[in-house]
Amino acid sequence: MAAQYPALQVVLALLAAPVCLILRRPNAAWAVATVITWISLALALSLLGRVWETGVILYPMGDWAAPWGIEYQIDTVNAFMLVIVTLIGSVVMPFARASVEAEIEEERIYLFYCMYLLNLAGLLGIAITGDVFNLFVFLEISSLSSYVMISLGRDKRALTAAYRYLVIGTIGATFYIIGVGMMYMTTGSLNMADLAAILPAVADSRTVLVALGFLTVGLGLKLALFPLHLWLPNAYAYAPSAVTVFLAATGTKVAVYAFIRIFFTVFGGVEIFTAGVIPQILAVLAALAMIGASAVAIYQTDVKRLLAYSSIAQIGYMVLGISMVTVTGLAGTIVHLFNHAIMKGGLFMAMGCILFKIGAVQLDQFEGLGKRMPVTMAAFVAGGFSLIGVPLTVGFVSKWYLVQAALEKGWWLAVAAILASSLLAVIYIWRVVEVAYFRPPPKGSAEVSEAPLSMLVPLWILIGASYYFGIDATQTLDIAFAAAETLFAPPL
Amino acid sequence: MEFLGLLNYWIVVVLMMTGFYIVIAHNNLVKKIVGLNIFQVSVFVFYITMAKVKGGTAPILAEGIEIYSNPLPHVLILTAIVVGVATTALGLALVVRIHDAYGTIEDDEIEARENEL
Amino acid sequence: MTVELAILLAVAVPFAGAVLIPLTGAKPNLRETVTLVCAALLFYLVSVIYPIVAAGGVPEVYLFEMLPGLSVFFLVEPLGLIFAGIASFLWIATSVYSIGYMRGHNEENQTRFYAYFAIALGAAMGVAFAGNMLTLFIFYEVLTLSTFPLVAHSGTDEAKRAGRVYLGVLLGTSIGFQLLAIIWTWSLTGTLDFTDGGILAGKADGLTAGILLALYIFGIGKAALMPFHRWLPAAMVAPTPVSALLHAVAVVKAGVFTVVKVVVYIFGIDFLFDIGVSEWLQYMAAATILIASLVAMTKDNLKARLAYSTVSQLSYVILGAMLVTDLGIIGSGMHIAMHAFGKITLFFCAGAFMVAAHKTEISQMRGIGHAMPFTTLAFFIGSLSVIGLPPMGGLWSKWYLALGTLETGKLWLLGVLMVSSLLNVAYLLPIPFRGFFSSPEENPPLKSSHNHDSEHDHTHDQDRPKGIKEAPVACLIAIGVTSAGCLVLFFYPDPVYDLMRQIVAP
């Protein structure tokens, strides 16, 4: 049984999605989605444990041997990704029940859970597969389902946000398969490990370089790398809260993972980094994202949009770590994947609680919220500290390693960008804090009125986790460093 | 001769650019979807072309068949076509909803209405 | 009780107090009892630790490993003990004072006030006992964030603006410079532990060490070295007990304390002396001393004047540290203690003037000694200590600082200290003198004042019958204790001196 875990990891969620469709009852669909997510988490944890003890797990799908068949390859990197995705999903599900009921029409709720499960399957598939074309299929499964989920938002701008995301996302995915096609033309293989072995011999050809270009832009669109981020703010701002939490915490993270996989595993043997200008380009884009998006965040009046821009800045951190091409930098990126997932998930959950009670997340609606929703706002402030990078939070840990990596490289401008971006974070978080705590509640508002416990508990689980893993970061960092070293190791 | 030999690839490039241009330049949301479709189709052509072996037939194990085309990209593209159909369907469905909500499917008019919100 | 337990409790007690205070918020008397008990308990705990450290022990408490190879732990050495001793003792005095002040002034949100006050004290203890730079930085930031609600306490626009400056400067310097310096040190040396003789010797060349030193010194914004001093005057919008304990003692002393710690235990005096990169920071410190004193003379608002005086006095400590000589370091450490007692007395008095006579501007304080003789006398004592005149404790720290400058052979630095003392005389002593020897009728009519208290009280202030009208008794007790402290430290500075001696000659 345990040998089949890699397949079950993806297939369970995939099969459960149509079950929701048949059940139709909101509560039943919710129960199925929740149970499946929790089982997936258990599977992911057991896979991570096995990888940690015995090394890479290879799982040929349907016993078709690689490189012809599709092979799942699980090493520390993607085992960690599987845990991140399922962990966030497991916390989001209890939260989603009340939140979704409040934000989505009842007859569409089962569709939401169906789409969520497809999305989960897609993200897990991206993380687990060792085949570049299979990755494309899962990428599209997750993308198509996320377009639908975003369009379920009750603001009509959610529709246009979903439409724009669809157009941009499809272009990104198409770019990605163009790149894959070109690699296939030169190597005749789609298996990542196989590609890694063959590519160095043919790396001089222009086809391979163009392939890399298409792959970079395609995945750059998916992970919202500045300046390819335009779809993200509206998509996050107008999607239902539960969707925003899940997508913000996992969607772009998995895309970053795919990016790392392509650059370090598939092109691992090719000296694209040492020879080309790619690291510099990535570093510059990352720094622009960190500073630019943070600066734009300051001027937002919709707090969900503010957090969305902050996400773009945080993706900049991750790309910066990648662009350094050092173990420390990459470990910083990987640990930030996890850290940012839990802190941003928590912050968007706080938005969900506020939407649930107040019905809007415009900044001027936050007046006196420190008194009216003390538990939620305390969580927001605590999560905000993490975004700023106050010590004892996970944000501090990520920042520490990214700065250290930049220092090792002697990249002073990168150091400056990281620190400047943290300071901008102080400003945009503090704008919200001032309104919430220093302005009196509007007249006629209820005294204290909190979101239900089913939302507050998941919220505080994520916020608590962002402190737990900030106080004792040794476990996450051990995994991140092991993962980074795997990526730098020569291919199998 | 070389030009003709690469004819399919030229078609790919032209289709791709045409599709891309439509996506970017057109104001009408349905036309954008059409452009997206053309863009995707160019990639299908690209995959099918690269798998073709001159004089090759279908890869059937039979007497006398020595040269055959690579079947794998063809299979891949079947998957990609399915994905493309799904994307188009979803895109058009979204356009219908947008029309219901905004009363128009022209991008600039929608944007104007969004700015009023 | 083992000393390890005492250390842990010393940090934990204020935080526990911060939890208990909101729970007892409905009953003010019980709430204040909690504060007082915590303060007393804290001082007791520090006094348990004292004999062990004085005997040369360096008790250590391991907490947890935060990053691989980098742990959070406490280690009590003499300098930290001095800081902890002062902060904990003065917390008792301030708690007593707060009760009188906050009630006399009818402040709102008193529960929040006491709770964050306790957190700030806990953070100060953490800073004092930190065993490495990471631990110190954690509590340093907790201290910044926990004092923000105290600064912005009143919630007025002015308070909000001040809060922004406060947070902006302190977080900006600490994240922008200090954190960078810490991570840099870590990547150069692989450790952040406070070690006798420093950790950077042999690991960093002169230029790197010079840049690092600048990053540390400016990154420690709480030390208020110009040009990063603006937060301190801004913080004066806070209620007076906050200004007194936090912005004359705990927060600012945490800053200069960190400076001394970094110089002694991260760089090492010998290493820093050898590479000679601290000289330009001596200029910066000297400039801050003089400029801040000059600015203080122009301020009519008493708390603003005291704030600039604090900026100036803090740079004495920085200057002492930057001399990188044994006597300079001793002078620095002693000045942390001596200035604390002197300045807190002055702030207590300023608050008393405000509560009892509703006066905040110095030009309105002529003849105030007739109504408030006790407070004015205490102000006089505090002034003498800050200036450094006998028979007050402030003499000793200036004495050692002066000896330190002589040790380096830089006579002009001695000159700076002397000129600054004269400036101190000029901006502090006129206040008690006019208070005693002028009459209230000489006060010029109040022009425009920001302070609403003085505005609406001014009219019936004039026709108030002459006579003694002192601040609430609780305030007077606190003032009496701290001004007596200034005197006691003149005759009995030995504990502080002996502890500092241990640092430079272990």
Side-chain angles (χ1 to χ4, degrees):
Chain A
M1 183 66 182
Q4 307 300 330
Y5 281 1
L8 285 175
Q9 183 81 75
V10 181
V11 169
L12 264 183
L14 203 59
L15 290 181
V19 173
C20 285
L21 211 55
I22 297 165
L23 286 173
R24 293 188 81 99
R25 299 237 320 274
N27 285 341
W30 171 78
V32 168
T34 309
V35 170
I36 293 295
T37 315
W38 286 351
I39 296 174
S40 299
L41 173 63
L43 289 174
L45 285 171
S46 96
L47 283 175
L48 179 63
R50 257 167 70 199
V51 170
W52 196 246
E53 271 158 30
T54 56
V56 181
I57 301 172
L58 296 176
Y59 180 89
M61 227 3 173
D63 263 342
W64 293 75
W68 311 113
I70 292 168
E71 188 180 51
Y72 284 3
Q73 289 178 7
I74 307 156
D75 58 15
T76 325
V77 193
N78 43 9
F80 192 43
M81 281 314 299
L82 295 173
V83 171
I84 295 176
V85 172
T86 50
L87 188 73
I88 296 292
S90 303
V91 186
V92 169
M93 274 299 108
F95 172 87
R97 189 172 177 181
S99 176
V100 163
E101 237 166 59
E103 293 181 38
I104 299 176
E105 296 106 279
E106 203 184 332
E107 70 271 15
R108 291 214 180 107
I109 290 180
Y110 73 102
L111 289 173
F112 163 78
Y113 289 110
C114 172
M115 285 300 140
Y116 158 78
L117 282 168
L118 279 181
N119 197 284
L120 182 70
L123 294 174
L124 293 174
I126 296 173
I128 207 169
T129 188
D131 183 285
V132 284
F133 195 85
N134 196 225
L135 196 152
F136 160 75
V137 176
F138 282 121
L139 194 67
E140 281 302 70
I141 292 178
S142 71
S143 298
L144 285 167
S145 52
S146 54
Y147 308 146
V148 178
M149 287 200 290
I150 290 167
S151 73
L152 289 173
R154 57 180 172 178
D155 191 306
K156 64 180 178 180
R157 278 171 288 188
L159 293 172
T160 45
Y163 178 87
R164 283 181 194 136
Y165 184 20
L166 178 136
V167 170
I168 294 179
T170 306
I171 292 172
T174 311
F175 268 44
Y176 176 82
I177 36 169
I178 295 171
V180 168
M182 289 179 166
M183 286 202 296
Y184 185 75
M185 265 173 105
T186 39
T187 61
S189 179
L190 293 169
N191 182 287
M192 288 180 187
D194 205 30
L195 277 168
I198 304 171
L199 272 175
V202 293
D204 280 339
S205 77
R206 188 161 293 170
T207 319
V208 174
L209 277 183
V210 174
L212 183 64
F214 274 111
L215 290 171
T216 310
V217 175
L219 289 173
L221 278 165
K222 285 284 178 191
L223 64 83
L225 172 63
F226 183 88
L228 308 174
H229 64 279
L230 294 170
W231 58 269
L232 188 143
N234 273 351
Y236 281 13
Y238 301 121
S241 302
V243 176
T244 310
V245 174
F246 188 67
L247 288 186
T250 59
T252 45
K253 307 293 173 299
V254 170
V256 171
Y257 158 78
F259 196 83
I260 292 176
R261 198 43 113 191
I262 296 292
F263 270 71
F264 287 89
T265 301
V266 174
F267 281 84
V270 187
E271 305 224 313
I272 46 169
F273 284 122
T274 45
V277 290
I278 294 173
Q280 282 94 318
I281 294 173
L282 286 181
V284 168
L285 292 180
L288 285 174
M290 283 151 57
I291 307 270
S294 301
V296 175
I298 293 173
Y299 294 99
Q300 297 306 311
T301 51
D302 181 311
V303 182
K304 245 172 130 182
R305 257 176 95 92
L306 181 155
L307 291 175
Y309 274 105
S310 146
S311 277
I312 298 169
Q314 300 282 327
I315 288 161
Y317 286 116
M318 297 170 205
V319 176
L320 183 71
I322 294 173
S323 73
M324 291 177 196
V325 208
T326 59
V327 172
T328 320
L330 202 54
T333 298
I334 294 170
V335 84
H336 196 48
L337 285 176
F338 176 79
N339 290 346
H340 183 243
I342 53 178
M343 64 174 144
K344 201 43 88 47
L347 283 167
F348 275 121
M349 274 190 186
M351 291 302 109
C353 293
I354 292 167
L355 265 174
F356 186 86
K357 272 288 157 196
I358 312 288
V361 286
Q362 295 297 317
L363 193 55
D364 48 14
Q365 306 275 338
F366 274 60
E367 285 178 348
L369 220 48
K371 286 219 171 66
R372 286 149 74 202
M373 301 181 72
V375 182
T376 306
M377 277 314 293
F380 180 86
V381 175
F385 284 162
S386 194
L387 219 47
I388 295 168
V390 172
L392 298 184
T393 63
V394 285
F396 178 72
V397 174
S398 317
K399 216 151 278 180
W400 180 281
Y401 280 91
L402 288 171
V403 171
Q404 194 188 329
L407 282 174
E408 283 169 8
K409 289 276 286 189
W411 283 11
W412 289 102
L413 287 176
V415 173
I418 296 170
L419 298 174
S421 169
S422 319
L423 294 176
L424 291 171
V426 176
I427 301 177
Y428 60 71
I429 291 298
W430 225 256
R431 277 185 70 217
V432 182
V433 170
E434 273 192 2
V435 174
Y437 284 93
F438 288 112
R439 284 198 207 160
K443 288 199 181 83
S445 64
E447 283 279 283
V448 174
S449 153
E450 272 293 355
L453 271 183
S454 71
M455 293 172 81
L456 290 178
V457 171
L459 165 64
W460 274 98
I461 288 175
L462 285 186
I463 297 294
S466 73
Y467 280 78
Y468 177 81
F469 290 105
I471 288 170
D472 180 5
T474 47
Q475 299 155 358
T476 44
L477 280 166
D478 280 347
I479 296 175
F481 270 95
E485 271 153 27
T486 319
L487 288 167
F488 274 102
L492 292 168
Chain B
M1 249 340 263
E2 206 188 16
F3 177 80
L4 281 182
L6 295 175
L7 180 65
N8 272 22
Y9 291 105
W10 285 112
I11 292 172
V12 169
V13 171
V14 170
L15 277 180
M16 194 186 283
M17 290 303 119
T18 313
F20 206 34
Y21 175 79
I22 296 171
V23 173
I24 294 168
H26 265 275
N27 207 12
N28 184 303
L29 297 189
V30 174
K31 286 185 182 166
K32 272 182 195 286
I33 296 287
V34 172
L36 206 58
N37 237 309
I38 297 173
F39 183 62
Q40 285 179 307
V41 165
S42 76
V43 179
F44 304 161
V45 177
F46 172 64
Y47 266 71
I48 293 163
T49 307
M50 80 186 179
K52 174 70 186 167
V53 176
K54 213 172 187 180
T57 62
I60 300 164
L61 275 180
E63 201 67 19
I65 292 180
E66 300 282 313
I67 307 170
Y68 51 86
S69 297
N70 185 347
L72 190 67
H74 296 170
V75 179
L76 297 180
I77 272 336
L78 276 180
T79 318
I81 289 170
V82 173
V83 171
V85 169
T87 312
T88 310
L90 178 59
L92 291 174
L94 281 173
V95 174
V96 171
R97 292 276 315 271
I98 289 173
H99 187 257
D100 287 349
Y102 289 86
T104 174
I105 53 167
E106 296 297 319
D107 209 13
D108 50 356
E109 288 172 29
I110 291 170
E111 208 154 308
R113 257 163 241 197
E114 276 186 353
N115 289 338
E116 285 164 20
L117 287 175
Chain C
M1 179 172 358
T2 64
V3 65
E4 282 79 15
L5 183 65
I7 295 171
L8 272 183
L9 284 177
V11 180
V13 161
F15 286 108
V19 175
L20 283 176
I21 288 166
L23 294 180
T24 54
K27 294 177 188 147
N29 288 336
L30 189 59
R31 180 186 67 197
E32 264 79 308
T33 312
V34 170
T35 304
L36 281 173
V37 168
C38 285
L41 195 58
L42 180 61
F43 184 66
Y44 166 73
L45 289 165
V46 175
S47 66
V48 169
I49 306 168
Y50 171 70
I52 289 132
V53 177
V58 272
E60 207 173 307
V61 185
Y62 177 83
L63 285 186
F64 53 85
E65 190 177 9
M66 184 171 151
L67 307 171
L70 193 51
S71 299
V72 172
F73 67 100
F74 294 133
L75 181 152
V76 185
E77 44 70 62
L79 187 62
L81 190 68
I82 294 176
F83 178 46
I86 298 161
S88 59
F89 177 72
L90 291 179
W91 190 24
I92 304 177
T94 311
S95 303
V96 175
Y97 181 86
S98 307
I99 296 168
Y101 179 90
M102 296 300 278
R103 294 185 181 183
H105 214 235
N106 287 324
E107 291 273 356
E108 287 180 0
N109 296 321
Q110 291 195 20
T111 303
R112 187 177 78 187
F113 171 85
Y114 286 110
Y116 281 106
F117 213 106
I119 295 176
L121 254 293
M125 290 298 128
V127 170
F129 294 155
N132 62 8
M133 205 56 212
L134 176 71
T135 315
L136 197 154
F137 185 70
I138 292 169
F139 286 102
Y140 182 97
E141 293 294 50
V142 173
L143 188 55
T144 307
L145 293 170
S146 63
T147 44
F148 171 80
L150 297 172
V151 170
H153 183 80
S154 68
T156 58
D157 282 344
E158 192 196 354
K160 268 193 276 184
R161 256 198 311 280
R164 275 181 217 152
V165 173
Y166 186 79
L167 209 62
V169 174
L170 290 184
L171 279 184
T173 51
S174 66
I175 292 177
F177 305 137
Q178 192 187 154
L179 179 61
L180 171 59
I182 293 171
I183 299 176
W184 198 357
T185 310
W186 164 250
S187 78
L188 282 174
T189 63
T191 177
L192 288 175
D193 295 354
F194 291 128
T195 315
D196 284 325
I199 53 176
L200 279 167
K203 301 278 174 53
D205 57 44
L207 179 67
T208 312
I211 300 171
L212 264 179
L213 184 66
L215 284 174
Y216 272 118
I217 304 300
F218 288 113
I220 302 165
K222 290 193 168 75
L225 188 63
M226 281 184 179
F228 298 111
H229 66 285
R230 285 292 311 280
W231 63 271
L232 186 55
M236 292 301 136
V237 296
T240 306
V242 176
S243 308
L245 183 60
L246 297 176
H247 299 118
V249 182
V251 173
V252 292
K253 293 302 183 303
V256 287
F257 166 78
T258 310
V259 169
V260 178
K261 276 279 243 206
V262 165
V263 167
V264 176
Y265 295 112
I266 297 287
F267 286 88
I269 301 177
D270 295 336
F271 173 62
L272 210 53
F273 188 77
D274 288 344
I275 55 175
V277 290
S278 60
E279 192 172 347
W280 69 275
L281 285 163
Q282 295 170 3
Y283 291 95
M284 293 296 297
T288 306
I289 292 174
L290 292 179
I291 296 170
S293 293
L294 289 171
V295 174
M297 297 188 74
T298 67
K299 296 287 172 190
D300 189 36
N301 182 294
L302 180 54
K303 279 176 79 179
R305 183 175 289 192
L306 292 178
Y308 274 99
S309 162
T310 305
V311 173
S312 156
Q313 298 283 328
L314 289 174
S315 276
Y316 278 67
V317 181
I318 300 175
L319 179 64
M322 288 303 124
L323 294 171
V324 287
T325 63
D326 289 359
L327 290 172
I329 298 290
I330 292 177
S332 285
M334 292 183 77
H335 200 62
I336 290 180
M338 303 305 176
H339 176 249
F341 276 89
K343 195 45 79 54
I344 200 171
T345 308
L346 294 182
F347 270 109
F348 280 170
C349 294
F353 290 144
M354 186 142 72
V355 171
H358 302 285
K359 286 182 195 287
T360 56
E361 308 303 303
I362 294 161
S363 54
Q364 298 300 313
M365 290 179 186
R366 285 169 211 270
I368 199 153
H370 301 301
M372 304 177 68
F374 180 80
T375 310
T376 316
L377 180 67
F379 194 95
F380 179 63
I381 294 174
S383 304
L384 289 186
S385 190
V386 169
I387 296 163
L389 293 173
M392 302 298 155
L395 171 74
W396 295 118
S397 56
K398 294 227 170 148
W399 177 262
Y400 282 102
L401 285 171
L403 287 180
T405 58
L406 290 177
E407 215 174 7
T408 59
K410 288 178 181 149
L411 278 179
W412 66 273
L413 281 176
L414 184 64
V416 168
L417 293 182
M418 295 299 117
V419 170
S420 165
S421 292
L422 283 178
L423 288 171
N424 290 345
V425 171
Y427 67 73
L428 283 175
L429 285 186
I431 302 166
F433 282 166
R434 283 189 206 148
F436 279 126
F437 303 122
S438 306
S439 76
E441 283 73 34
E442 292 168 41
N443 282 338
L446 204 60
K447 286 181 290 235
S448 67
S449 168
H450 299 296
N451 196 302
H452 60 97
D453 285 328
S454 35
E455 258 170 44
H456 68 80
D457 284 319
H458 188 64
T459 41
H460 62 88
D461 220 27
Q462 300 293 343
D463 46 27
R464 186 178 285 168
K466 290 223 171 68
I468 306 286
K469 190 184 179 298
E470 285 279 8
V473 183
C475 295
L476 296 184
I477 295 172
I479 294 172
V481 169
T482 55
S483 50
C486 296
L487 266 167
V488 170
L489 280 171
F490 174 74
F491 295 106
Y492 190 59
D494 309 357
V496 181
Y497 176 78
D498 292 343
L499 284 172
M500 284 313 296
R501 194 78 239 174
Q502 277 186 33
I503 293 173
V504 290

